[in-house]
């Protein structure tokens, strides 16, 4: 179960990520490319190039956890960055739920 209560933030990577990456590979992307701490308890969302797969990485107090979803029809539509060159976009827990349900976040912002 993904915990989204309290002061947990949800960060969406704005560039596609190789879905062959698992816990350590995605944690390194969070650390080196996105500039965040993967052990912070925040959720980090990654999408593949064609947009049909999403992975969510988070630290759940005693280890890294990974949620992986493939959508059968359409693509996952992520919000656009506020400024060119932004590596992440912050979204709410409600927006994460909509994203994982297949809703288009670009039109809801």
């Amino acid at each position: 179960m993904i915990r989204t209560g309290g002061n947990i933030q949800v960060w969406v990577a704005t560039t596609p990520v190789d879905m062959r990456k698992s816990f350590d590979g995605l944690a390194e992307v969070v650390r080196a490319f996105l500039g965040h701490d993967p052990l912070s308890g925040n959720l980090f969302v990654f999408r593949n190039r064609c947009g049909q797969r999403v992975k969510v990485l988070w630290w759940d107090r005693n280890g890294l956890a990974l949620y992986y979803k493939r959508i059968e029809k359409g693509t996952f539509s992520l919000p656009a960055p506020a400024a060119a060159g932004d590596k992440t976009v912050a979204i709410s827990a409600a927006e994460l739920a909509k994203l994982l349900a297949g809703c288009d976040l670009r039109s809801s912002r």
Side-chain angles (χ1 to χ4, degrees):
M1 182 85 178
I2 298 176
R3 293 187 194 121
T4 56
N7 55 356
I8 293 176
Q9 295 177 317
V10 182
W11 297 99
V12 179
T14 58
T15 57
V17 172
D18 183 353
M19 286 291 123
R20 294 175 293 183
K21 292 185 184 293
S22 190
F23 300 98
D24 296 329
L26 291 174
E28 185 57 28
V29 170
V30 170
R31 193 176 298 109
F33 181 69
L34 302 180
H36 292 278
D37 178 12
L39 307 181
S40 64
N42 295 325
L43 283 78
F44 300 95
V45 181
F46 303 95
R47 189 183 93 155
N48 69 337
R49 189 174 310 280
C50 68
Q52 293 180 318
R53 296 165 196 239
V54 162
K55 283 188 178 181
V56 180
L57 179 74
W58 78 99
W59 177 260
D60 70 351
R61 296 186 190 155
N62 62 358
L64 285 171
L66 193 61
Y67 178 84
Y68 188 23
K69 184 166 184 178
R70 179 184 72 195
I71 196 167
E72 293 297 323
K73 292 184 180 180
T75 59
F76 289 105
S77 298
L78 305 180
D86 285 350
K87 295 179 181 178
T88 58
V89 174
I91 63 172
S92 68
E95 288 174 314
L96 175 62
K98 288 178 184 178
L99 170 72
L100 295 176
C103 295
D104 187 351
L105 291 186
R106 293 175 298 183
S107 63
S108 67
R109 289 195 144 222

